[in-house]
Amino acid sequence: MAKEIYSRYPLIKYLRKEALPTALCPGCGGGTVLNAFANAVDQLKIDPKDLVVVSGIGCSAWIASPYFLADTLHTTHGRAIAFATGVKVGLPDKKVVVISGDGDLASIGGNHLLHAARRNIDITVILVNNFIYGMTGGQVAPTTPFGAKTTTSPYRNIEHPLQISETIAAAGASYVARWTTAHVYQLIESIKKAIQVKGFSLVEVISQCPVQFGRRNRMKEPAEMLRWYLKNSVPISKAKNMSPEELEGKFVIGEFVNRERPEFVTELNKLIDEVQEHFGLKGE
């Protein structure tokens, strides 16, 4: 029965059949992100052999490894972007994509995220933001909304969340966009743009975690969380004319930046050529 179901999925060629069905919780948004990424790769006609997909530790890290059929690196907690940087410098012709969660990329690995954007290295980061440390028990995270409940903030969270997309846009990334798992077609288009951009690109995906986040915040069903996203999503064009008070509890969606800046690996190779020419080593 499982093989029959898989055979009807048009993008099954991009997935590791031996790893299916996924270990993701029922209603998890990770499957939506995996499907969106596979659609983007398919629509761009990218050969998976030209991809290196990197992940860290956490629920969202499983999207890349073990489920996506390409060369993958399942790395240590918070270090996915550091590994991806090494891959891109060593194999500049490869398309390098990082897929992991907010706890892995924006908390434990926050410095790597910030400085990869500053360097503008040509890697794409798909950051799955479910507002919580899902795999380890539902603890409060730097992305947990103000007032939300978690296992380690059972009464309410009194910290304001890190605005990831705004921060990475300010750090110097070439492309930054944010969508939710309720905006699938827009998400696919942004992933396609991010992969094609020359420079650092981030696509933040606000994704439901009904098991750890939803049930503690009166949204036990995945559909309730999706309706919450749709009800509270504000296009960036509209958000520019709203006050901070009006934007409290809202999800600003859309493209934050799409610009050209010097790219790190290109500049590094230029520097190597300059030094070799200066010391008469060119061609050796």
Side-chain angles (χ1 to χ4, degrees):
M1 177 62 75
K3 289 183 179 179
E4 183 182 339
I5 294 171
Y6 300 154
S7 66
R8 295 201 299 265
Y9 179 55
L11 301 176
I12 190 64
K13 63 183 178 180
Y14 296 109
L15 306 184
R16 297 183 190 273
K17 297 177 187 176
E18 67 274 16
L20 299 174
T22 74
L24 302 174
C25 298
C28 173
T32 301
V33 178
L34 175 59
N35 183 55
F37 178 58
N39 266 280
V41 170
D42 187 66
Q43 291 176 26
L44 291 173
K45 295 181 170 53
I46 297 173
D47 187 339
K49 292 180 181 178
D50 295 326
L51 275 173
V52 178
V53 190
V54 186
S55 65
I57 298 297
C59 304
S60 301
W62 284 49
I63 295 169
S65 170
Y67 302 127
F68 197 82
L69 184 56
D71 287 329
T72 56
L73 286 174
H74 203 140
T75 70
T76 49
H77 203 4
R79 306 296 176 250
I81 290 176
F83 279 84
T85 298
V87 172
K88 189 63 186 182
V89 170
L91 300 170
D93 294 332
K94 296 292 184 183
K95 293 189 179 296
V96 181
V97 180
V98 175
I99 307 177
S100 213
D102 56 294
D104 185 71
L105 292 174
S107 178
I108 308 297
N111 272 342
H112 294 300
L113 177 63
L114 190 68
H115 292 294
R118 177 183 62 81
R119 294 185 183 105
N120 201 36
I121 187 165
D122 188 22
I123 62 177
T124 297
V125 174
I126 301 173
L127 189 153
V128 185
N129 182 0
N130 59 14
F131 306 137
I132 205 164
Y133 284 101
M135 181 176 283
T136 53
Q139 298 92 336
V140 70
T143 51
T144 302
F146 183 81
K149 295 179 180 179
T150 72
T151 55
T152 50
S153 59
Y155 299 105
R156 65 182 176 90
N157 178 32
I158 60 170
E159 300 176 6
H160 288 276
L162 173 67
Q163 300 298 326
I164 297 171
S165 290
E166 291 86 342
T167 301
I168 299 310
S174 285
Y175 182 84
V176 176
R178 178 195 286 129
W179 298 104
T180 81
T181 46
H183 299 86
V184 178
Y185 292 107
Q186 297 95 324
L187 173 59
I188 293 170
E189 290 304 311
S190 277
I191 293 174
K192 286 164 59 179
K193 286 184 181 180
I195 292 173
Q196 294 177 93
V197 160
K198 185 70 171 178
F200 187 84
S201 56
L202 170 80
V203 179
E204 180 186 357
V205 190
I206 296 175
S207 175
Q208 73 273 18
C209 177
V211 172
Q212 296 287 19
F213 184 85
R215 67 191 177 97
R216 292 186 174 89
N217 291 280
R218 298 183 179 181
M219 292 177 286
K220 293 182 180 180
E221 298 297 326
E224 292 180 81
M225 297 197 72
L226 293 173
R227 285 193 289 269
W228 178 47
Y229 295 160
L230 290 171
K231 182 180 179 180
N232 292 285
S233 291
V234 179
I236 190 169
S237 56
K238 183 179 179 181
K240 289 177 181 178
N241 298 316
M242 296 172 65
S243 68
E245 291 76 21
E246 291 174 315
L247 288 172
E248 187 70 36
K250 303 296 184 182
F251 310 118
V252 180
I253 57 172
E255 292 185 357
F256 288 78
V257 291
N258 187 357
R259 59 195 172 194
E260 292 185 12
R261 289 186 61 237
E263 190 273 328
F264 178 80
V265 176
T266 302
E267 295 302 312
L268 175 63
N269 288 329
K270 282 183 185 177
L271 177 60
I272 291 171
D273 288 342
E274 290 168 7
V275 172
Q276 286 179 336
E277 186 173 350
H278 178 76
F279 288 101
L281 301 173
K282 194 75 170 174
E284 292 188 10

